[in-house]
DNA sequence: TTGACAAGTGGAGATGTCTCCGCTTAAGAT
DNA sequence: ATCTTAAGCGGAGACATCTCCACTTGTCAA
């Protein structure tokens, strides 16, 4: 069960609905593990969960949302880890702390590569033009902006670069597309990618 | 007709095949203009061109390839423009030239936004895992790497950043996803984006 | 011309996404 | 217990991508 869900809606979930939710999650987990996230269709998940396609789509508008639900808990944990790290390294330089954040995030990324790619794949037909990013994106973005701002404040030199822009750029480098390209085609290890990113965004 | 095509294959195209190619291109152009690239399906294009779906897919494995064919000529022109620009600014600093390249490319990008997005959308089912990039990508990438290398050579300070990595990063910022996010959500103008990119990759 | 055959065609159909809507059922009110 | 009702269900079906393969047609050599 997902405790983060019942915070906003005061109305409780119907018992049968809750059961179906579990069936879906279990079925998806099973199929993803067996065949890989990309290879599994919403149809298969519905069949495996023994529900109709309509029921599946009522809860998750597409595979992307389903994947997100499957890593939501882990995502929350990562942010807690990062928060804790920042707590314990309050005295460290912002540059060090930024590197710490990146390392933590990429470590997580590596453990959930397939699901994260699944989350980002919103190649669906009915598009509300998701030009906008998720709240999760915004949270990580905010953390990074903060580090950039502290770096800028520390060094007298007035950077004429915008922290928000830089953070966006840094985060697109962590998207599945860009990240896996660097790792699998360019052949960098995760640590080397962190290294390169730090070198790019915070000189030497 | 597309003169760039007949360079490699010595075997000529059958007459009826050439005609169908034209029908496809014309139909696609018409429908794209009328409804927008995203809204048009391969089926619609086949119908409009009065050919079977199989014939369409024989020539273009997906909409992405079709879009690429539709801008290939323009793409070649952009590279010629860039080449010419570099020619005429041989004496300028590499930083200036890099900015020139970016400006030229983004200007082109703005004129073909929809088609470029269409090219990048490879959300198809049969994936040979297109982790690799196109030759077009590689060409632009090479140009940018060259500028970076010249910048590094000029300044005594040994950058511990890899030009290849930096060029990749710069180019992901020019992908539809990232670029349109900056333009439409963050609200930057094309020129401001160039400005930010320059500020990020080549200090002040 | 004609024959052979590679190249090309088209549409049926497998599979997938996603919606619509009539039917069912859990849950609070009476 | 029963009634009401909104939440939930599920499958038919619209529409999309993409493949397969029996059939057709240009093209080239003889």
């Amino acid at each position: 069960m997902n405790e983060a869900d019942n915070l906003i809606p005061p109305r409780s979930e119907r018992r049968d609905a809750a059961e179906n939710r579990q069936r879906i999650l279990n079925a998806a987990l099973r199929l993803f593990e067996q065949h890989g996230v990309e290879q599994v269709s919403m149809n298969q998940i519905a069949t495996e969960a023994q529900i109709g396609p309509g029921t599946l789509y009522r809860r998750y508008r597409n595979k992307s949302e389903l994947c997100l639900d499957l890593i939501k808990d882990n995502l929350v944990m990562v942010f807690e880890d990062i928060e804790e790290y920042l707590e314990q390294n309050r005295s460290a330089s912002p540059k060090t702390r930024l590197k710490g954040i990146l390392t933590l995030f990429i470590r997580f990324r590596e453990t959930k590569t397939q699901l994260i790619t699944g989350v980002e794949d919103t190649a669906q037909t009915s598009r509300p033009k998701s030009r906008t990013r998720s709240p999760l994106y915004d949270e990580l973005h905010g953390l990074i902006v903060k580090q950039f701002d502290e770096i800028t404040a520390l060094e007298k030199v007035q950077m004429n670069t915008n922290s928000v822009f830089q953070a966006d750029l840094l985060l697109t480098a962590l998207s599945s597309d860009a990240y896996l390209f660097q790792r699998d085609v360019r052949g960098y290890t995760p640590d080397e990618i962190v290294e390169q990113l730090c070198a790019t965004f915070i000189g030497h």
Side-chain angles (χ1 to χ4, degrees), chain A:
Chain A
M1 187 57 57
N2 201 322
E3 53 273 71
D5 289 339
N6 305 0
L7 294 181
I8 301 98
R11 264 297 153 270
S12 64
E13 194 178 32
R14 242 168 72 169
R15 209 177 56 248
D16 56 345
E19 189 198 332
N20 277 337
R21 169 192 294 271
Q22 266 320 297
R23 297 163 82 97
I24 293 172
L25 260 23
N26 291 338
L29 230 38
R30 216 166 357 189
L31 290 173
F32 285 170
E33 185 156 351
Q34 188 170 1
H35 304 111
V37 174
E38 302 230 22
Q39 300 305 316
V40 177
S41 73
M42 290 294 266
N43 263 352
Q44 285 177 63
I45 296 172
T47 302
E48 174 86 5
Q50 304 194 73
I51 60 174
T55 304
L56 177 53
Y57 276 97
R58 149 172 267 271
R59 221 168 287 283
Y60 302 104
R61 285 194 302 161
N62 46 52
K63 214 166 78 174
S64 172
E65 285 193 3
L66 211 185
C67 290
L68 181 57
D69 205 17
L70 283 175
I71 48 167
K72 204 173 268 174
D73 293 350
N74 306 73
L75 220 28
V76 171
M77 285 176 55
V78 176
F79 279 111
E80 288 174 356
D81 285 355
I82 292 178
E83 219 62 64
E84 183 189 327
Y85 168 87
L86 290 178
E87 204 78 19
Q88 296 182 340
N89 293 270
R90 198 189 296 275
S91 57
S93 75
K95 292 182 180 182
T96 307
R97 274 180 286 152
L98 180 54
K99 186 171 180 178
I101 293 174
L102 293 184
T103 304
L104 245 28
F105 182 77
I106 283 191
R107 187 126 58 212
F108 161 68
R109 226 203 161 299
E110 287 290 332
T111 70
K112 299 284 174 184
T113 310
Q114 283 197 31
L115 282 175
I116 292 175
T117 301
V119 170
E120 290 172 2
D121 262 21
T122 307
Q124 319 306 357
T125 57
S126 78
R127 62 278 321 288
K129 272 299 184 193
S130 84
R131 277 268 64 76
T132 183
R133 253 70 169 174
S134 74
L136 275 10
Y137 181 92
D138 290 334
E139 183 167 350
L140 190 50
H141 185 270
L143 248 39
I144 294 174
V145 166
K146 202 148 104 186
Q147 305 308 316
F148 277 143
D149 281 342
E150 290 185 24
I151 294 173
T152 312
L154 234 65
E155 315 192 345
K156 319 292 181 294
V157 290
Q158 176 58 20
M159 300 244 193
N160 54 358
T161 54
N162 185 326
S163 298
V164 170
F165 182 89
Q166 301 237 1
D168 280 328
L169 185 52
L170 180 44
L171 283 179
T172 84
L174 298 183
S175 71
S176 287
D177 203 32
Y179 178 78
L180 293 181
F181 176 76
Q182 289 303 320
R183 203 194 59 178
D184 299 341
V185 179
R186 297 298 188 212
Y188 286 119
T189 66
D191 284 342
E192 285 170 342
I193 293 178
V194 172
E195 214 58 59
Q196 289 290 331
L197 287 174
C198 286
T200 300
F201 287 98
I202 51 183
H204 56 100

